[in-house]
Structure formats: C-alpha cells, structure tokens
Amino acid sequence: MRVLAAAVASALVLACATAASARTGPPVSPALAPVVELSADRLATAELIAAAKWHSGEPVEAPEREAQVLAQAERSARLLGGDPAFALAFMRDQIEANKVIQRGRHADWYAHPERRPRRAPDLAGARADLDRLTPALVGALADAGPGAPGCEAELAGAAHRVAAERGLDGSGRTALAVSLASVCAGWAQPAT
C-alpha cells in the first residue's frame, strides 16, 4: 500500500510539475537529464523481463536478485564517494518502477490472452543490461550533485521531455515517476 501511495504521489507531482512547465517551457537541468534518461533505459527492459518471467513462471518479486542489484549500487556509490543510503533509496525506486511495468503487463496478459508474448526473451541478457545500467545510474546520480532549489521542477521537465521523446504511455510515465521519486528528496538529506 505504501508503494502504491508513493507511486500515486510521484505521478501527481510529475503531472502537476509537467503542467506548470508546459506553460513556461520545461526547465531541464543538464545534470538531471542523464539520471532521467538512464532511468528510462532501465525501464525499457521491464517488458522483456515481464515476458521472460511469464514464460518461466517466475514471480515478479525477486528478492535475491533485488539484493544483488542493491549491493551493486551501494558498492558503486562508495567507489564514487557518493552517499550509499541515497543510492540505495534511488535504486529501490528503480526496482519498484520496473516491477510496476511487469505487474501491469502480467495483469494485461491474464485479462487478454491474445496479447501474451509468444516467445520467452532471454532473462539473463536483460539482467546483464540492468547490471551495466546500475553503476551508470549511480554515477549519473553522483555527477548530478546536490539538488538546487527547484529540483522537482527541473526533474519533472527532464522526465516530461524523455517521456515524450520515447513515446511512453500512461503506465510508462507513472513508472518513470516512481523511478525518480527519491532524486530530489535524497538531496534534501545531508550525506553522512
């Protein structure tokens, strides 16, 4: 329930900020753009992973795999001199966003058998892509540095641009908002 509330709140913030930025032009921070673009790259794997899990019978929830991704993010943050707690919160959002899409696809496939994927994609290949993206995401987050006032508006502008460029549908936009939920909140906390 907490995750759903956070997803709805993130989507509402993104929608409100997007509506406001549409009137004045989207303020896009060059520092935040790579974070948003890499988050969208990570989300692009979700449908393949959903299809692979559908065919294998694996559940969407994969606690052991999630623990591996989080450990990799923490190591990357430490190597980069970043805040490991911030990196972990950010990567938890990334994981949850991916699962939002996976759950949505599975629900759609249960309801509409004709839409089910006909073949199973390579889950190991998709996970290898995620393993390459994790340090890149943590690095982009570290490169972006502490958020300035207006972080939310800048992040929403970048998310709006990326969502439009990639043609994300409503669930894709919601998942992108979930993937970015900790970005500005994390900068509000001092690094320890």
Side-chain angles (χ1 to χ4, degrees):
M1 185 57 113
R2 182 176 163 258
V3 171
L4 179 59
V8 170
S10 296
L12 288 174
V13 168
L14 182 59
C16 291
T18 300
S21 68
R23 290 190 296 271
T24 61
V28 178
S29 168
L32 291 175
V35 173
V36 176
E37 290 167 4
L38 287 166
S39 293
D41 289 346
R42 191 175 198 288
L43 286 174
T45 66
E47 189 148 350
L48 292 174
I49 293 170
K53 288 179 177 180
W54 178 268
H55 281 281
S56 71
E58 286 185 53
V60 168
E61 301 295 325
E64 290 175 11
R65 171 65 184 158
E66 292 171 24
Q68 292 170 351
V69 171
L70 293 173
Q72 182 186 26
E74 186 173 24
R75 281 191 306 273
S76 294
R78 289 189 193 288
L79 286 171
L80 294 168
D83 179 1
F86 183 23
L88 286 172
F90 175 67
M91 287 310 297
R92 281 187 187 101
D93 292 341
Q94 297 292 315
I95 291 167
E96 189 56 40
N98 202 287
K99 291 190 295 186
V100 165
I101 292 176
Q102 291 179 50
R103 287 184 199 111
R105 294 304 183 257
H106 283 204
D108 182 55
W109 298 334
Y110 277 116
H112 303 282
E114 72 279 5
R115 296 181 189 167
R116 291 177 181 167
R118 302 214 189 293
R119 62 178 187 82
D122 176 28
L123 183 57
R127 286 181 170 165
D129 289 341
L130 293 177
D131 289 341
R132 284 189 292 276
L133 283 168
T134 297
L137 273 160
V138 173
L141 192 64
D143 290 346
C151 176
E152 291 86 0
E154 290 182 16
L155 188 65
H160 177 72
R161 178 187 57 78
V162 168
E165 287 174 0
R166 297 186 185 207
L168 297 182
D169 62 8
S171 65
R173 288 174 185 264
T174 298
L176 185 59
V178 169
S179 77
L180 301 170
S182 296
V183 172
C184 294
W187 279 332
Q189 305 297 321
T192 54

